[in-house]
Structure formats: C-alpha cells, structure tokens
Amino acid sequence: MIEVGTELPPLTVTLRREDLVRYAGASGDFNPIHWSDRMAAALELPGVIAHGMLTMASAVRVVTDWIDDPADLVEYGVRFTKPVVVPDDDKGASVTFSAKVDKVTEDDRGGLAEIDITAVAGEEKVLGRARAVVRVR
Amino acid sequence: MTIDATMVGRSYAAAESYQVGREKIREFADAIGDSNPAYRGDDAVAPPTFAFVVGSRALEQLLHDEELGLRLDRIVHGAQKFSYTRPIKAGDEIAATATITTVRKAGPVEVIMYETTLTTADGEAIATATSTLSHNRADA
C-alpha cells in the first residue's frame, strides 16, 4: 500500500568528466558544452555542464529503483533550472536526489502514485517540477 | 532568419526507423550508471529517458530545417516530459516524428516546444515526448 507522504530512498550520483563523455557516446549528444571548457566559456557558461538528459536519467532512478518494474512508469517530466557544473578533476559533481509520494489517484486501469523528485547539487536545486507517475499494483 | 508562430505545426519525421538493440540499451544504462537488471538481457526494456535518444533522429531533422536557422551550440534544453504507453524494448523498430507545438519569443531568445511521438512500424503508440528548447539568437 503506497501512501501520500511516503519518502523514497534517496540517491547520490557523482558525475565526472568521463561520465559526460560516456553519456555523450551512448546518447549521441555531442554538444561541446558537455566536454569542452573552451566552448563552455565561449557561451558564458560557468564551466562544462552535465547533459540535462543525464541528470534527468539519474533522477528517475530514485523511482525506478523503488518500484519493482520500470515498465510501471507512465509519466516523467522535469524542468532544467540550473546546470550541473562538472569540474575536470577526480571529484566531479555530486547530485543528491530524493523523492516523496505527493498524490495517490486512480485511472480506468488502476492506481497511480504521483511522486515529486528533488535534485540538489551543492546548495542548489538543479531540477524544477520533477515529477513521475507510476502505476501501483 | 527567425522563428515565428507560422512554424507551429511543422512536422519532422526521422528518415529511418530506429532499431532498438539490447546492447545499445545496456550501453545506455551503463552510461547513466544504472545497474537495474530490467535493462539487461534478451528481454531488456530501455531506461525511461532512452526515449529521447530514439526521438533525437526526428529532432535532428528539426535542427537542420534551414528556415528555422537553429544552432545546436545556442540551444539550452529547458524542460522535458515523457508519457509512456509502454516501455521501449529490445527488438522494437520505432518511427519518430517531431512536431513544433509552440513558439514564444523574448528578445533574441526563442522558446520552442515540440512534441515527439514514438510508434512502432504498425502504428502502436509507445511514448510521447514533450520538449522545451531555448534558442538564443543574439550575435547570430
């Protein structure tokens, strides 16, 4: 039984430059702002930044780790509010994701849980309105 | 060149369908650091955000529309949402079509929303992706 207010186990992910390169290769997104300091500076970014889609992919792990089957995810959306700056060092950037059940509803196929996800890097929220809807059995 | 509301409704279909392979799913899951067993093996399903990769073939067509005159290095991804009818699975052959749904302008910044539908060759719906891009045309 899933109840409103249930907190999901949080997850901290560390992103290093090598992770951005690996994600660029796997996703086909080779935008240089994700690997070139020179290009990031030319566009007045604070540094090389993680792919928003990589941050989004990491965030939903809090939900897919929690449900039995990732196929039960029916909706997932985020706003990219702040970039995750990834320094060229061994430490990288850490982002902590947490999530809470905000609403339990039903549709014609059964129960649904609406889950709010929070993503924080340093002191800043890097995602806004991050929300996943999962089918509950 | 600029973008305006008359471009709403323009549709871009990926030139070829996307053949989803289990090793590609595994590679993508590894790249996002996700060891979930659902993403491995013959019956692998793809991690949720893999839908963006499949849809990116259609996005490329949109980015290459010379009349829009967009530059990748001036684009910031503002928001992304997926609605799934079912997960993407190894063995799927997926057609992607991106359609511009909204265009808003604020000075040199153009905010473009587009919707990408992913379907099988038989027309079975898999997912719909809604994306918001900001394109800064300053100094362009």
Side-chain angles (χ1 to χ4, degrees), chain A residues 97-126:
Chain A
F97 303 101
S98 54
K100 198 180 197 176
V101 178
D102 178 56
K103 219 188 250 185
V104 178
T105 58
E106 254 182 48
D107 69 2
D108 50 7
R109 288 174 56 196
L112 296 167
E114 299 183 17
I115 300 165
D116 281 330
I117 304 168
T118 305
V120 177
E123 300 285 303
E124 294 202 286
K125 284 194 180 183
V126 295

Side-chain angles (χ1 to χ4, degrees), chain A residues 1-10 62-64 66-67 98-106 111-118 130-136:
Chain A
M1 182 66 188
I2 292 174
E3 284 175 10
V4 171
T6 301
E7 291 187 22
L8 282 55
V62 171
V63 177
T64 53
W66 183 66
I67 56 180
S98 54
K100 198 180 197 176
V101 178
D102 178 56
K103 219 188 250 185
V104 178
T105 58
E106 254 182 48
L112 296 167
E114 299 183 17
I115 300 165
D116 281 330
I117 304 168
T118 305
R131 199 169 173 90
V133 181
V134 299
R135 193 156 292 289
V136 288

Side-chain angles (χ1 to χ4, degrees), chain B residues 45-126:
Chain B
V45 299
T49 61
F50 187 72
F52 191 82
V53 177
V54 177
S56 64
R57 300 264 174 100
L59 171 60
E60 274 170 31
Q61 302 285 329
L62 186 156
L63 294 176
H64 287 121
D65 182 342
E66 287 183 5
E67 288 180 43
L68 304 187
L70 301 175
R71 269 179 50 185
L72 180 62
D73 62 1
R74 292 177 174 276
I75 287 177
V76 174
H77 198 172
Q80 182 64 43
K81 187 177 175 181
F82 301 101
S83 298
Y84 312 92
T85 308
R86 68 155 173 86
I88 292 171
K89 297 182 289 200
D92 278 339
E93 198 168 328
I94 302 177
T97 304
T99 305
I100 297 176
T101 53
T102 310
V103 171
R104 251 190 351 255
K105 281 205 270 193
V109 177
E110 299 158 337
V111 180
I112 303 153
M113 287 181 75
Y114 69 95
E115 190 177 276
T116 308
T117 56
L118 303 182
T119 58
T120 64
D122 318 330
E124 180 197 358
I126 297 176

Side-chain angles (χ1 to χ4, degrees), chain A residues 22-23 25-27 31 39 43 53-54 56-57 60-61 64-65 70-71 73-80, chain B residues 24 27-28 30-34 36 38-39 48-49 52-53 72-73 77-84 87:
Chain A
R22 185 175 296 125
Y23 183 79
S27 69
N31 191 328
M39 291 300 287
L43 292 163
M53 290 306 301
L54 174 56
M56 185 178 185
V60 81
R61 284 175 55 199
T64 53
D65 285 354
L73 186 71
V74 296
E75 200 176 282
Y76 175 40
V78 306
R79 276 166 185 269
F80 302 107
Chain B
K24 184 66 199 181
E27 180 194 15
F28 185 83
D30 285 346
I32 61 170
D34 195 333
N36 197 320
Y39 307 145
T49 61
F52 191 82
V53 177
L72 180 62
D73 62 1
H77 198 172
Q80 182 64 43
K81 187 177 175 181
F82 301 101
S83 298
Y84 312 92

